[in-house]
Amino acid sequence: MTTDAAGRDTPGQSPRRRVTMRDVARVAGVSQPLVSIVFRDAPGASAETRSHVLAVAGQLGYRRDERARLLRQGRSRLLGVAFEPVQPFHGEILDGLHTAAQQRGYDVVLSAVTPHRSEDAALEALLRDRCEALVLLGSALPQTRLEQISTMLPVVSVTRAFDAQAFDSVATDDHRGAVLAVEHLLGLGHRRIAYIDADREAGGARRRTGYQDTMTAAGLGEQMLIVRGGASEAEGATAITQLLAQDPAPTAVMAFNDRCAVGVISQARVLGRCVPGDLSVVGFDDSEQASLPYLDLTTLAQDPRLLARTAVDLALRRLDMTAEDTAVTGEHVVLPAQLVTRTSTAPAGH
């Protein structure tokens, strides 16, 4: 298959090719420089000629190669984003990133981190795409590695807080969120409160410390119960099975995140426990699934759109700096967490 001037396939010829300015010029009966003038909206073409060229371009399906044009100017106007597809909350942040970037005249390139694709591999792909800045959702890379990358282009960590000079971060106040969760459960009369940990995840250490600090302040340091879990439903299910096998079993659980809490609730019900009658459960994120009627999960709300908008602002702040701005320091924004109370928690002995 080949194509005619409009880029349409014709039988027995080569595959479809991209319509070029040369094609538009030939069909419109004008010179290629004149077509360029029209597309750049530059002086030198009459209104009639502009209308004719644009009409031909529309008929042919011509699209300007904006990336090539920007690269010729030394720009790509692309923000690279590394993320984990299995995290629903990351999806909500991604939606906000696209909106915030578009409002500032940028586009977003995504690169997934999966069990068989490391974060470093995801970042290398973004670097090859000539992205101008990197936004890392829940990065697990050490600070030294992020500092190394930041020597090449701006880096913003999202949901994992840092205190570094070379790059920026925005995260929710994980410590305060955990404090609010435990205080809520204490207020309901619970004393044997467990925490399902995910220390390798962004925010995990701060949430664990918030749990420990609040339990200790309440005089319940000896009753603290921390079990290794994770950020997935399966890890939540495994952790609650272990917890409910103890005697006495906890009456309340703070899960690392909403996904973990979903596994906790599902497995507790399989094991014959009523939520919240036998077990109160608190999550973290207030993801879209938290408000589903069969979960109705009490959780700590993070604002994905505000996280995304702040991340874009931080990235463009670095990009807008001049060569003289050598004394710039890292900016690290901490956003408040808000307790959202639903029916997955109830008074102890309810």
Side-chain angles (χ1 to χ4, degrees):
M1 301 282 286
T2 57
T3 58
D4 57 19
R8 293 184 293 264
D9 292 332
T10 55
Q13 301 167 332
S14 62
R16 181 186 182 92
R17 67 175 177 82
R18 184 184 183 92
V19 178
T20 66
M21 275 202 297
R22 182 176 299 174
D23 297 325
V24 176
R26 184 173 62 252
V27 176
V30 298
S31 68
Q32 188 171 331
L34 185 57
V35 171
S36 177
I37 287 173
V38 171
F39 288 156
R40 288 185 287 111
D41 198 23
S46 67
E48 182 180 0
T49 298
R50 289 181 189 278
S51 178
H52 173 60
V53 169
L54 292 175
V56 170
Q59 294 168 1
L60 298 181
Y62 173 79
R63 290 181 177 83
R64 295 182 67 184
D65 190 341
E66 288 295 325
R67 181 176 293 192
R69 181 181 67 84
L70 287 168
L71 288 177
R72 286 194 296 271
Q73 300 173 359
R75 299 293 302 271
S76 69
R77 299 195 76 81
L78 296 175
L79 301 181
V81 180
F83 71 107
E84 291 186 58
V86 296
Q87 299 293 350
F89 189 65
H90 284 190
E92 296 176 44
I93 297 175
L94 288 176
D95 183 45
L97 286 171
H98 276 285
T99 300
Q102 186 177 35
Q103 290 171 346
R104 303 289 294 274
Y106 281 75
D107 204 351
V108 170
V109 177
L110 304 179
S111 191
V113 180
T114 73
H116 297 97
R117 190 181 194 229
S118 69
E119 187 175 354
D120 266 316
L123 296 184
E124 287 298 328
L126 295 173
L127 292 174
R128 288 195 298 270
D129 276 339
R130 306 275 299 273
C131 294
E132 294 189 15
L134 298 180
V135 177
L136 314 183
L137 305 190
S139 175
L141 293 176
Q143 180 171 321
T144 52
R145 174 60 175 145
L146 298 185
E147 289 172 339
Q148 179 187 26
I149 297 170
S150 68
T151 62
M152 296 181 280
L153 73 175
V155 172
V156 181
S157 167
V158 182
T159 74
R160 182 183 171 196
F162 283 93
D163 183 15
Q165 298 303 313
F167 61 92
D168 306 312
S169 68
V170 55
T172 301
D173 192 338
D174 295 292
H175 183 277
R176 179 59 182 163
V179 170
L180 291 174
V182 178
E183 287 181 343
H184 169 67
L185 294 170
L186 290 171
L188 293 173
H190 295 280
R191 293 297 176 267
R192 190 160 175 79
I193 302 169
Y195 173 60
I196 299 177
D197 196 12
D199 58 347
R200 296 182 180 179
E201 299 291 333
R206 286 177 168 81
R207 294 178 196 181
R208 181 178 64 251
T209 302
Y211 163 83
Q212 293 170 319
D213 290 347
T214 313
M215 291 289 284
T216 300
L220 299 172
E222 294 184 356
Q223 296 189 45
M224 283 192 293
L225 188 55
I226 301 175
V227 62
R228 178 176 291 277
S232 71
E233 294 90 340
E235 288 165 318
T238 299
I240 194 60
T241 300
Q242 177 183 340
L243 287 167
L244 293 180
Q246 299 194 19
D247 186 16
T251 62
V253 172
M254 175 188 167
F256 168 74
N257 66 357
D258 288 353
R259 280 187 69 204
C260 180
V262 169
V264 168
I265 293 174
S266 300
Q267 184 66 8
R269 288 170 175 165
V270 168
L271 296 173
R273 306 300 175 95
C274 177
V275 176
D278 300 318
L279 183 73
S280 286
V281 180
V282 179
F284 206 114
D285 286 343
D286 195 27
S287 57
E288 291 180 352
Q289 64 187 146
S291 61
L292 293 172
Y294 66 89
L295 292 174
D296 206 32
L297 179 66
T298 295
T299 185
L300 279 303
Q302 304 191 73
D303 188 335
R305 291 196 172 276
L306 183 54
L307 284 165
R309 187 166 63 250
T310 304
V312 171
D313 288 345
L314 290 172
L316 299 192
R317 161 184 169 265
R318 293 267 184 179
L319 289 173
D320 290 341
M321 290 175 183
T322 65
E324 289 75 27
D325 295 322
T326 56
V328 64
T329 59
E331 186 169 345
H332 303 283
V333 180
V334 179
L335 303 176
Q338 179 181 357
L339 180 70
V340 178
T341 305
R342 298 191 179 97
T343 60
S344 68
T345 52
H350 176 68

